[in-house]
């Protein structure tokens, strides 16, 4: 393995997030860092680092992955599931990954985690809907009792919510049922972003915090330990994380602001749904691929294992597509889109043979730790 | 220093020592753990004397204390005083107490901070070792480089003339210990080979500072980073690396000789630990069996590989028949434990395949694979658990075939 200053992205730089593809948490070590994307006529395909360690990327049709690699049962089932997805997004890929784990194919711990995650997703969606309804009641009945207080009873909220939706529907020209359905759909959509007082417990807020902690921990580690190779990699990871974190937190705040004004949100939802979907989806596109990096760090039993993981982490730092410059509310320098390091492994001994078995186990444990 | 034994206790100790010599590996591990846990070991410490060669093989985690941490990097060099020769690349165990006292006296707090950091840790806690060790080894090196003959040196049984050269060697080696430690963890997951430039810098520094210590440095390197052997030979071919070739050959000879003398090439222990040790040993044997090696060395390596293969087969068979097959047939099979054992068996098989006949392992796995491919009685393992176990033992293709044969036809992915 070696590292250089320039990057593979000299040869490959996607224009859009869709073209970059979505990071997939495969358990097969040779598929680490692979991304799935939809290429329209050519169907879905995997975009991977050059397996030989050279520059550039490999693009493999999803159905052909088994011909080039030897995926685990988990990954074969996941590839089949990805093939059936109508829309590819970080959210739908995440759901596919958890569904395979729920079937038990990522091990007992990941299965238990999948159950907990399903429960957490459901309760976050409920809380978001609660908040949206309460905020709507306050907007429609500004003179009434405040509804976003912690002490509000669900029964009370439902009763006043129904009234508010009916009143608003009259002026809005939509049925109360349509508005209620829209509010439920928006709650599911906004759940990962979070709304109201529980926003900090929303999935993307937690993920952002995890990546930030990983970044801080890497910096802190290098103030206490001397490692030349590790230090170079650590700095590169932190630099890319900084760019991503600032984009993700700003877009997260923008998405969350939608939930603070349900009337305007509903108006926009009916007038231009793709625009709302895009605004809410942006933070997750920015964060895509960083959970795996954070987990590689956190999965290390001690500082030594975490430092060793830096080499794997640096290999999968996501580059930002040029579209990120349009999405980011603040100016992004073109140089900040690409990681400032290129890590290539010239040999695959570390992820084949007996090492592969241990890495698959580690990857499954990481699945059990993810959000 | 050991406290004097109470009257009559000598006989008891003698009996215990006789029993300990005959104890099996597990009993030895328990004895060591018990002795290590004592607040004051006194004469009990002498119980461990006859066990030292076996402890070298078994390497049980030991309680970390100041002297042990200080000498940990030098551990492969330490020998019984009776076996120490001035020209050998070894250090006599008798050095430990006076050197420890010198280092403690050289530290501003007498070593209190180090003791605080390592309290409750063992030699298995690599993080505690490197965080407390890096500073200690460097400070010890500085202290020992300028140490003068201490008052109780005669207790070691070594002549006063040995003091200065030994301190010079230890100081030189301890100065390199943090770098070796760092290299061990940087290469731990196999992504990075050992850093050629770092090893070259180390060898040059030692050659210039204390050429006598070069063979010792190579022993330390080969012991902790067996994959560095090839690199050492390559560096040795460079004319400017005076003495490195002889040092590397000497280190390999010594380590091979020790392996030949040991009861097992790798001590039998928990499957995952055993597999990791086999991997390290196989790497070491492969690295020193280079193209220019002598016929006798090659023969020596071949014999050790055969012994290691035998060890692997014994451990594999016992793991399969004792830890996998009986629980697999149990009514409430413990899935997580079974997966752990299956993974360890496959890891061991993958390592052992490089040493000998792969068919031996495949034959043994047949029974386990057949048991997994047969639908269990009601209440047995769930299909996904059997699929995962089969994947671990026989690969994903066979596991997928089982899933497709027995899976729910309504499940969309099938």
């Amino acid at each position: 393995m070696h590292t250089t200053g320039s990057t593979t992205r000299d040869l490959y730089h996607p224009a859009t997030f869709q073209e970059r593809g979505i990071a997939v948490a495969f358990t097969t070590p040779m598929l680490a860092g692979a991304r799935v994307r939809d290429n329209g006529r050519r169907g879905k395909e995997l975009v991977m680092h050059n397996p030989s360690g050279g520059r550039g990327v490999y693009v493999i049709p999803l159905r052909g992955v088994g011909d080039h690699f030897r995926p685990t049962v988990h990954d074969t089932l996941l590839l089949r599931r990805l093939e059936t997805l109508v829309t590819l997004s970080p959210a739908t890929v995440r759901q596919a990954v958890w569904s395979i784990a729920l079937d038990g194919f990522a091990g007992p711990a990941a299965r238990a985690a999948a159950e907990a995650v399903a429960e957490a997703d459901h309760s976050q969606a409920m809380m978001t809907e609660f908040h949206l309804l309460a905020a709507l009641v306050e907007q429609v009945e500004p003179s009434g009792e405040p509804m976003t207080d912690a002490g509000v009873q669900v029964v009370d909220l439902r009763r006043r919510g129904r009234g508010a939706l009916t009143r608003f529907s009259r002026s809005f020209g939509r049925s109360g049922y349509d508005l209620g359905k829209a509010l439920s759909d928006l709650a599911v959509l906004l759940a990962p972003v979070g709304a109201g007082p529980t926003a900090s417990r929303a999935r993307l807020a937690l993920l952002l915090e995890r990546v930030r902690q990983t970044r801080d921990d890497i910096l802190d580690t290098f103030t206490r330990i001397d490692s030349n190779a590790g230090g170079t990699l650590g700095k590169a990871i932190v630099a890319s994380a900084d760019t991503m974190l600032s984009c993700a937190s700003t877009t997260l705040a923008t998405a969350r602001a939608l939930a603070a004004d349900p009337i305007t949100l509903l108006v926009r939802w009916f007038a231009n749904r793709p625009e709302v979907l895009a605004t809410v989806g942006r933070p997750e596109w920015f964060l895509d691929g960083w959970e795996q990096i954070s987990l590689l760090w956190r999965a290390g039993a001690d500082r030594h294992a975490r430092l060793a993981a830096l080499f794997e982490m640096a290999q999968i730092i996501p580059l930002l597509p040029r579209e990120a410059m349009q999405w980011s509310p603040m100016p992004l320098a073109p140089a900040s889109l690409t990681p400032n390091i290129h890590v290539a492994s010239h040999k695959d001994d570390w992820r084949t043979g007996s090492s592969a078995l241990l890495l698959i186990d580690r990857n499954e444990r990481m699945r059990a730790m993810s959000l | 220093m050991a406290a004097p034994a109470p009257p009559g206790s000598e006989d008891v100790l003698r009996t215990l020592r006789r029993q300990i010599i005959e104890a099996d590996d597990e009993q030895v591990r328990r004895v060591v753990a018990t002795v290590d846990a004592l607040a004051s070991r006194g004469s009990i410490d002498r119980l461990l004397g006859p066990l030292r060669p076996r402890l070298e093989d078994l390497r049980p985690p030991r309680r970390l204390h100041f002297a042990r941490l200080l000498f940990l990097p030098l551990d492969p060099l330490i020998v019984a005083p009776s076996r120490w020769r001035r020209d050998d690349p070894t250090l006599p165990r008798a050095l430990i107490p006076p050197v420890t006292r010198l280092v403690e006296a050289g530290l501003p707090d007498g070593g209190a901070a180090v003791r605080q950091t390592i309290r409750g840790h063992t030699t298995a806690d690599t993080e505690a070792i490197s965080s407390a060790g890096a500073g200690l080894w460097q400070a010890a090196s500085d202290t020992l480089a300028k140490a003068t003959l201490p008052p109780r040196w005669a207790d070691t049984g070594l002549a006063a003339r040995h003091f200065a050269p030994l301190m010079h060697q230890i100081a030189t080696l301890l100065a390199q210990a943090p770098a070796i430690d760092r290299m061990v963890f940087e290469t731990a997951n196999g992504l990075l080979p050992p850093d050629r430039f770092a090893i070259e810098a180390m060898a040059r520094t030692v050659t210039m500072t204390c050429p006598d210590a070069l063979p010792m440095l190579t022993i330390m390197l080969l012991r902790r980073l067996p994959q560095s052997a090839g690199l050492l030979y390559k560096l040795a071919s460079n004319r400017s690396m005076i003495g490195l070739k002889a040092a590397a050959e000497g280190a390999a000879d010594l380590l091979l000789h020790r392996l030949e003398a040991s009861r097992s090439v790798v001590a039998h222990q928990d499957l995952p630990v055993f597999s990791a040790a086999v991997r390290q040993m196989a790497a070491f044997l492969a690295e020193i069996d280079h193209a220019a090696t002598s016929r006798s060395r090659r023969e020596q390596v071949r014999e050790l590989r055969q012994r290691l293969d035998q060890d692997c087969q014994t451990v594999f068979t016992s793991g399969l028949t004792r830890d996998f097959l009986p629980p697999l047939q149990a009514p409430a099979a413990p899935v997580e434990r079974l997966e752990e054992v299956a993974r360890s068996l496959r890891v061991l098989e993958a390592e052992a395949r490089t040493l000998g006949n792969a068919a031996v392992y495949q034959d043994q796995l047949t029974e386990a694979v057949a048991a997994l491919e047969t639908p269990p009685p009601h209440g047995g393992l769930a299909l996904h658990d059997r699929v995962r176990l089969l994947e671990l033992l026989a690969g994903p293709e066979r596991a997928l075939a089982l899933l497709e044969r027995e899976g729910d036809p309504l499940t969309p992915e099938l």
Side-chain angles (χ1 to χ4, degrees), chain B residues 385-397:
Chain B
D385 291 328
R386 284 164 57 215
V387 167
R388 281 179 56 78
L389 288 170
L390 193 58
E391 180 177 18
L392 283 166
L393 292 180
E397 298 80 6

Side-chain angles (χ1 to χ4, degrees), chain A residues 227-242:
Chain A
S227 169
N228 294 338
T232 311
L233 296 170
K235 276 184 203 150
I237 294 166
V238 167
S240 290
D242 283 344

Side-chain angles (χ1 to χ4, degrees), chain A residues 232-255:
Chain A
T232 311
L233 296 170
K235 276 184 203 150
I237 294 166
V238 167
S240 290
D242 283 344
T243 306
M244 184 283 296
L245 283 169
S246 99
C247 293
S249 45
T250 316
T251 48
L252 185 65
T254 307

Side-chain angles (χ1 to χ4, degrees), chain B residues 79-346:
Chain B
V79 294
S82 58
R83 284 174 52 209
W84 180 74
R85 302 285 174 275
R86 172 68 190 94
D87 296 328
D88 280 356
T90 54
L91 297 168
R93 183 174 299 282
L95 274 177
I96 295 176
V99 170
T100 303
R101 286 193 294 270
L102 281 170
V103 173
E104 282 172 336
L107 292 170
D109 63 353
V114 170
R115 279 193 206 88
Q116 179 63 32
T117 309
I118 62 177
R119 181 166 297 152
H121 289 285
T122 71
T123 49
D125 300 325
T126 51
E127 186 161 352
I129 291 167
S130 55
S131 57
L136 172 64
W137 300 324
Q138 190 55 58
S141 170
D142 297 342
T143 300
L144 298 175
K146 45 184 191 273
T148 53
L149 192 70
R152 285 157 58 193
W153 178 254
D155 292 355
T156 63
L158 299 166
R161 68 174 187 283
H162 293 316
F163 174 77
L166 281 170
M167 291 311 108
H168 192 32
Q169 287 173 344
I170 296 176
T172 306
L173 294 170
L174 284 179
Q176 302 304 324
I180 296 178
D181 198 51
R182 197 162 55 236
M183 224 183 307
V184 168
F185 66 70
E186 281 181 352
T187 57
N189 60 1
L191 269 84
L192 269 188
D195 184 344
R196 180 196 167 102
F197 298 108
I199 290 183
E200 184 174 347
M202 243 180 249
R204 285 192 191 282
T205 306
V206 172
T207 306
M208 287 172 66
T209 323
C210 177
D212 289 355
L214 191 60
M216 297 177 172
L217 177 78
T218 54
I219 291 173
M220 286 162 65
L221 275 169
L222 290 183
R223 190 57 191 270
R224 293 201 67 197
L225 279 165
Q227 66 273 41
S228 68
L231 196 54
L232 282 170
Y233 286 124
K234 267 188 203 148
L235 285 171
S237 64
N238 185 337
R239 279 189 196 165
S240 67
M241 301 298 291
I242 305 158
L244 186 58
K245 187 161 190 271
E249 293 295 349
D253 278 342
L254 185 129
L255 293 175
L256 286 173
H257 178 72
R258 280 188 192 167
L259 285 173
E260 281 179 327
S262 62
R263 297 201 318 177
S264 51
V265 183
V266 169
H268 296 193
Q269 45 207 320
D270 269 1
L271 267 172
V273 184
F274 179 78
S275 303
V278 167
R279 162 182 273 208
Q280 254 212 329
M281 187 56 70
F284 170 67
L285 293 175
E287 290 269 341
I288 60 165
D289 192 11
H290 57 93
T293 201
S294 66
R295 186 181 289 183
S296 61
R297 163 80 61 79
R298 193 157 282 172
E299 184 56 26
Q300 214 178 359
V301 170
R302 194 185 62 78
E303 279 174 18
L304 282 168
R305 284 166 66 92
Q306 272 180 354
R307 276 180 60 199
L308 185 56
D309 187 30
Q310 278 303 319
D311 287 346
C312 289
Q313 286 185 34
T314 308
V315 172
F316 187 88
T317 306
S318 111
L320 189 67
T321 53
R322 192 190 60 198
D323 299 335
F324 189 77
L325 289 171
L328 181 66
Q329 313 293 353
V335 178
E336 285 187 57
R337 174 70 187 144
L338 280 170
E339 284 200 0
E340 197 183 312
V341 175
R343 189 175 300 109
S344 299
L345 287 170
R346 275 283 284 123

